[in-house]
Amino acid sequence: QVQLVESGGGLVQPGGSLRLSCAASGFSLGYYSIGWVRQAPGKEREGVLCISSRDSTTMKGRFTISRDNAKNTVYLQMSRLKPEDTAVYYCAAAHGCGSSPVYDYWGQGTQVTVSS
């Protein structure tokens, strides 16, 4: 019943942009902080960015998270992508953002490949 589903991944050339979507069902994203986490092959999971339940948009470097509570969806906009950005990207719901958020719910992930 409780579900997060990522979409929008794919193959993109270095320097390109990509927008990932995270659609929730069974609960309201508006009550949660939402983090994007990625995992590259052979590496541990790495937090990309997290947005507070208070905010509609947050930015850090080449990454921007926005939320549309009416659609129960959050987005990760990625710009000037690099090969090292290649990873499976997950969205996850928590009760706050910090250096190590504790996530209640996770999506299944979507693959992002940055390659020429």
Side-chain angles (χ1 to χ4, degrees), residues 9-62:
L11 176 65
V12 62
Q13 293 186 346
S17 299
L18 205 61
R19 188 178 77 160
L20 308 182
S21 298
C22 174
S25 60
F27 72 104
S28 176
L29 287 180
Y31 294 100
Y32 286 85
S33 300
I34 306 297
W36 284 91
V37 181
R38 67 186 182 186
Q39 186 168 28
K43 299 180 64 178
E44 295 186 343
R45 289 185 177 182
E46 173 192 19
V48 178
L49 190 60
C50 184
I51 183 171
S52 167
S53 62
R54 305 183 308 273
D55 299 327
S56 60
T57 303
T58 189
M59 301 176 61
K60 186 181 74 174
R62 301 176 291 111

Side-chain angles (χ1 to χ4, degrees), residues 11-12 26 32-34 38 42 54 60 64-65 67 70 78 86 88 91 98 100 106:
L11 176 65
V12 62
Y32 286 85
S33 300
I34 306 297
R38 67 186 182 186
R54 305 183 308 273
K60 186 181 74 174
T64 299
I65 297 178
R67 64 165 76 236
M78 305 184 293
T86 296
V88 177
C91 65
S100 298
W106 290 81

